[in-house]
Each structure stands twice: as structure tokens, then as C-alpha cells.
Amino acid sequence: FDKWGHWSFFFLIPLALSIIGMIIIIPSFKYETALKYDYICNTEDNQSENIDPNSKNKNNEKESFFQLFQTPAICLYSIFLFAYLGAEINTGAWFFTYLLQTKSEDRIKMAYVSSSFWIGLTSGRLVLGFVTKRVFVNEYRGARTYSLLTLIFYTLFVFVGLINSTSNLYFGVMFIIMFACGFFIGPLFPSGSIVALQVLPARLHVSGIGIAVALGGCGGAALPYLCGILLHIMGIQYFPFLSTILVASF
């Protein structure tokens, strides 16, 4: 891109991908209409009314923001996303800086090592969805297993980070561990969303999950910023410990 004259031309890549995605999304979800959603909600409400006649008035009421957030599933899903997105984005945001300041000043080599996390994350979201369907009873069991594996590999990252080495073998091991961290943390967001859809009634899918994702998304901004302040005070060498604590929290 330097040959073209300016670094900002890099953003032509995500711009092109965004346009492609915007075009593809139209035929992909052409049957997901408002009428279909209303039909599903009304069918579910009628079924719940047959079971509990007192639920009719509850189903017809429109919940406010605070009423939605008082729903345990929505509240817990928001907290999960807050910690999860904070852990995920915190790793991607500070890992490169951690490598440069504690391992090697070779920016090109460290860029390749730091990209391992994002390669793993993308691969995990593409691959593990098929694994979940074939191996686990439901998405919750799969997500719980992936969470545990994520914590295990983040713990390995802590111990490997304590080693001071500049050998290619060391950075190869670091690459594999961080790839595994990204691989297992990647599918947790879509898996968590599927579990939320299964737990919540249809009439709360849009409003409930929308609020949960909006509030949970704040963790992706707040927690990396907070970790940056703590690392500035404590030292960047504590980055693996803070990242593992965030993973353990979700």
C-alpha cells in the first residue's frame, strides 16, 4: 500500500468486504420477514396462554429497558458478553504490544505471531460450529467445553510468557498456543447467542438479545481500556495474567 501513496488505502479491504456482506445478506435472509416473526411470537403466546391463562396480559405488554434487564437470562447473557468481549478484544489489542516490549523488537516477526490469535479465532468460528452439532448434546454443553479449553490455553500462555527466549522454536510454541486460545474463544459468541435464543421466548429475541449485545459490547471497549491503565501501572509483563483472569470470569 505504500506504493499507492498512503496507508489509509488499507481500509479499502474491509470496505470491499462490508459491501459484499451487505449484498449477500439480502438473499440470505429474504424469508426472515416481520410477518414471519409476528406469526412465531403469536403462536408461542397462544401456546403459553393455553398453559397459563394469566400469561395473556403479560405477553401483550411491551417491556421497558429496565424490565427487560430484570429478566435473569438477559441480565446474565449481558454480563457474559461484557466479560467475553472484553477478554477477546483485550487479547487482540495488547498482545502485539506485549510481544514487542517483552519478547522481541522485530516488528514483522511479532506481527506474524500476534496474528495467530485472530487466525485461530476466525478458524474456530468457521469449524467448531459443525463440531458442536455432531459431538455435543446442545450448544450450551459445547460452549462450556470451549470455555474450559480457552481457560486451559490461556493458562499455558501465562506459563510460556514467563520464559524469556528469542528462538524461533519459542515463538512457534507461542504461535500455536495463541492460535488455540483464539480457536476456542471464537465460537463462544455465536454459541452464546444460540443458547440465548433457546432460553428466551420469541417475543424477546429482538429486544432482549439486542439489549444484551449492546450492553455486553461495552465490555469490548471498557475492559481493554481498563487493562491498558493497569498494565501501564503494573507493567506490560502482567498482560497474560490479566487476560486469563478475564477469561476465567466469563
Side-chain angles (χ1 to χ4, degrees):
F1 290 106
D2 289 337
K3 296 179 181 178
W4 293 3
H6 202 277
W7 61 268
S8 62
F9 283 114
F10 165 80
F11 290 99
L12 289 173
I13 296 175
L15 174 62
L17 294 175
S18 299
I19 293 173
I20 293 171
M22 184 174 64
I23 295 172
I24 293 176
I25 200 173
I26 296 173
S28 298
F29 297 97
K30 62 181 179 180
Y31 298 115
E32 302 302 319
T33 64
L35 289 174
K36 178 182 177 181
Y37 179 68
D38 289 339
Y39 173 78
I40 292 173
C41 292
N42 291 332
T43 302
E44 185 179 77
D45 290 344
N46 290 335
Q47 291 175 348
S48 62
E49 183 183 346
N50 292 332
I51 298 173
D52 181 10
N54 296 325
S55 65
K56 182 177 181 180
N57 293 330
K58 295 179 182 178
N59 293 334
N60 291 330
E61 292 176 356
K62 290 186 177 181
E63 294 85 352
S64 65
F65 170 83
F66 294 103
Q67 288 175 324
L68 286 171
F69 198 66
Q70 288 173 1
T71 303
I74 296 175
C75 182
L76 292 172
Y77 183 49
S78 301
I79 296 172
F80 164 76
L81 285 181
F82 189 91
Y84 165 76
L85 291 173
E88 177 186 282
I89 297 175
N90 177 72
T91 303
W94 292 109
F95 185 40
F96 182 61
T97 304
Y98 165 77
L99 291 174
L100 284 179
Q101 295 190 14
T102 64
K103 303 303 177 185
S104 172
E105 294 182 355
D106 188 336
R107 300 179 66 87
I108 300 299
K109 182 186 288 186
M110 295 305 98
Y112 280 116
V113 175
S114 65
S115 67
S116 62
F117 176 76
W118 296 111
I119 295 172
L121 189 147
T122 304
S123 302
R125 286 186 176 169
L126 287 173
V127 173
L128 290 181
F130 300 100
V131 175
T132 301
K133 193 172 184 179
R134 288 169 172 78
V135 175
F136 299 100
V137 177
N138 52 44
E139 285 78 8
Y140 172 72
R141 294 287 181 86
R144 193 170 63 180
T145 302
Y146 301 147
S147 296
L148 179 60
L149 289 170
T150 302
L151 181 59
I152 290 172
F153 280 102
Y154 266 84
T155 304
L156 288 176
F157 173 44
V158 171
F159 288 107
V160 171
L162 295 174
I163 301 172
N164 291 321
S165 176
T166 57
S167 68
N168 290 332
L169 176 61
Y170 174 75
F171 288 121
V173 172
M174 180 76 77
F175 185 99
I176 293 172
I177 290 175
M178 292 311 296
F179 176 88
C181 289
F183 188 76
F184 290 112
I185 201 175
L188 293 179
F189 180 69
S191 296
S193 300
I194 292 172
V195 173
L197 288 171
Q198 294 171 342
V199 171
L200 291 171
R203 61 188 175 83
L204 295 181
H205 282 178
V206 176
S207 57
I209 293 181
I211 287 175
V213 172
L215 293 175
C218 296
L223 292 182
Y225 181 79
L226 177 61
C227 285
I229 294 174
L230 293 175
L231 292 173
H232 180 73
I233 297 171
M234 300 164 55
I236 191 68
Q237 67 270 20
Y238 292 100
F239 164 72
F241 293 97
L242 288 178
S243 298
T244 305
I245 290 171
L246 288 178
V247 170
S249 68
F250 72 68

